[in-house]
Amino acid sequence: MATDKIKILVAVHKAGDVIHDEIYTPIHVGKANAGIDLGWMGDDTGDNISAKNQNYCELTAVYWAWKNLKDVDYVGLCHYRRFLDLTATHKYHINTFVTVDEMQKHTDIDFRLLRRYDAIVSLPLVGILSLKGSYCLSHISEDYAALDAAVKKLYPDYYPDFVKVMDYNNQYSFGNIMVTRKEIFDDYAKWLFDILFEVEKNVKISAYPYQSRVFGFMSERLMNVYLYHNKLKVLRRPVLSAADGRNVSVFRDFCNRTVRNIVFRVNNYILK
C-alpha cells in the first residue's frame, strides 16, 4: 500500500474544527456562492459546478474530484462530521454518534480493505417503503418520474436494475460517502452526472430549501443502483457522526423522534 495514493475529500460548508492530514483533505463545497473563505481548498476551481451546491449538495465535491483530482489511486468522500469507520478494529457495528475526541481516534485506515473491495460505502439506512416509495413520500414524485425517464433514456442497460433497486429494495447507503479506486470513481461520476444533468433539464427546482437539494437526494439512491448493476465487491461500514460529548445523547433522542415521525407519516400514507 505504500506506493498507492489515496485522497478522501472532507466536504465542509462552515467554520469549525475539521480533521485533515495527508489523506483527509477538506474542501469548501459551494464556495462559489458562499461569500466567505473558510481557509480550505474550494470546489470552485478548475472544471466545477460549485454554484449548483444548493441543489447538488456534496456532489459539487464529487464533480470537482472527478474533473480535477489527478495522480491518485483511490479517492473518497466524507463529510466534515461524518466519517466512515475504516479502522482495523471495527469497534462500531451501526451508524452512530460519537464525541469529537472519539472521532479523532477513528480516522486511521486499514489499507488492506481498499485492495480487498471495489468500494467501501456507508452502512445502509433501512426504510419501511421501497426506495421509490420513500422518495416519493419524502420528496417530489414528479421529480422521481423525471429521474426514471432519464435513466431509461440515457442508460437503458441500467434500467432493469434501476427498477429492481428502486421498486423492490428498502435499503440504501447514504450521504454519497464512499472510497473506491479512481477508475471506478470516474466511471461512476460520469454515469451519475449524465443522469442528473438530464433530470435538471426536466424539473422545476422547489422554492423550499430542503426540497431544492433534489440531486443530492437522488444521488444517494443512484449510487446503490450503480454498485448493484456493476456487481462490485462492496464493503459497508458504519458512519460515525461527531458531536460534542454533551450533545451525543441529544442527537440520539432527536433521531429516535425522527424515526417515530416517519413511521407516523408512512402509516398515514398507507391508509390514504
Side-chain angles (χ1 to χ4, degrees):
M1 185 68 202
T3 60
D4 292 333
K5 297 180 181 179
I6 174 173
K7 188 68 67 177
I8 299 177
L9 297 182
V10 183
V12 179
H13 67 277
K14 62 183 180 180
D17 294 332
V18 182
I19 295 174
H20 63 284
D21 55 28
E22 292 182 355
I23 292 175
Y24 288 98
T25 302
I27 180 168
H28 184 173
V29 293
K31 187 176 181 181
N33 295 330
I36 59 173
D37 186 352
L38 298 178
W40 304 112
M41 171 183 69
D43 64 352
D44 59 341
T45 61
D47 188 346
N48 73 86
I49 57 169
S50 179
K52 294 177 180 282
N53 179 260
Q54 182 177 354
N55 309 130
Y56 281 82
C57 308
E58 64 274 358
L59 291 183
T60 57
V62 173
Y63 186 94
W64 185 91
W66 171 36
K67 294 294 186 177
N68 301 288
L69 194 57
K70 310 295 181 183
D71 193 32
V72 292
D73 301 296
Y74 297 90
V75 62
L77 177 75
C78 64
H79 301 200
Y80 77 110
R81 286 200 168 186
R82 288 179 181 169
F83 285 74
L84 281 173
D85 180 3
L86 299 175
T87 59
T89 55
H90 195 184
K91 173 181 176 180
Y92 296 96
H93 299 283
I94 59 172
N95 300 318
T96 190
F97 288 98
V98 298
T99 64
V100 175
D101 289 341
E102 186 70 11
M103 172 69 75
Q104 294 279 358
K105 301 175 184 177
H106 284 80
T107 55
D108 291 335
I109 297 175
D110 182 358
F111 292 111
R112 294 171 298 179
L113 300 176
L114 301 176
R115 289 181 170 174
R116 196 175 299 160
Y117 294 91
D118 295 318
I120 307 173
V121 300
S122 60
L123 277 182
L125 298 180
V126 181
I128 298 172
L129 301 177
S130 68
L131 297 190
K132 176 182 178 180
S134 63
Y135 187 94
C136 293
L137 174 67
S138 301
H139 307 296
I140 299 173
S141 58
E142 290 81 5
D143 293 350
Y144 186 89
L147 173 62
D148 184 285
V151 175
K152 182 182 289 186
K153 173 184 175 181
L154 298 179
Y155 289 94
D157 56 321
Y158 274 81
Y159 189 70
D161 287 336
F162 172 82
V163 172
K164 184 179 295 185
V165 171
M166 294 295 200
D167 288 28
Y168 302 103
N169 173 53
N170 67 338
Q171 302 182 31
Y172 71 98
S173 292
F174 66 99
N176 293 295
I177 299 171
M178 176 199 292
V179 181
T180 187
R181 295 194 302 274
K182 185 60 162 63
E183 61 267 25
I184 294 176
F185 182 88
D186 288 349
D187 184 72
Y188 166 65
K190 180 185 184 307
W191 175 84
L192 177 67
F193 287 106
D194 281 350
I195 293 170
L196 295 182
F197 289 162
E198 177 67 19
V199 175
E200 188 175 8
K201 299 174 187 175
N202 298 292
V203 299
K204 181 180 179 180
I205 302 297
S206 173
Y208 293 98
Y210 179 71
Q211 296 297 353
S212 70
R213 295 154 58 185
V214 51
F215 306 116
F217 293 136
M218 287 182 176
S219 64
E220 289 182 303
R221 281 79 176 174
L222 285 171
M223 184 176 73
N224 299 270
V225 175
Y226 181 87
L227 297 174
Y228 179 81
H229 177 81
N230 289 285
K231 298 179 174 59
L232 298 182
K233 187 177 182 182
V234 178
L235 175 64
R236 292 173 170 83
R237 295 293 290 265
V239 168
L240 306 182
S241 298
D244 293 335
R246 63 184 180 277
N247 292 328
V248 171
S249 61
V250 174
F251 273 114
R252 286 173 177 157
D253 289 343
F254 169 78
C255 289
N256 289 334
R257 291 196 304 271
T258 300
V259 169
R260 289 195 295 269
N261 182 52
I262 290 172
V263 170
F264 174 78
R265 292 179 63 195
V266 168
N267 286 338
N268 286 343
Y269 177 80
I270 292 172
L271 291 173
K272 285 182 179 179

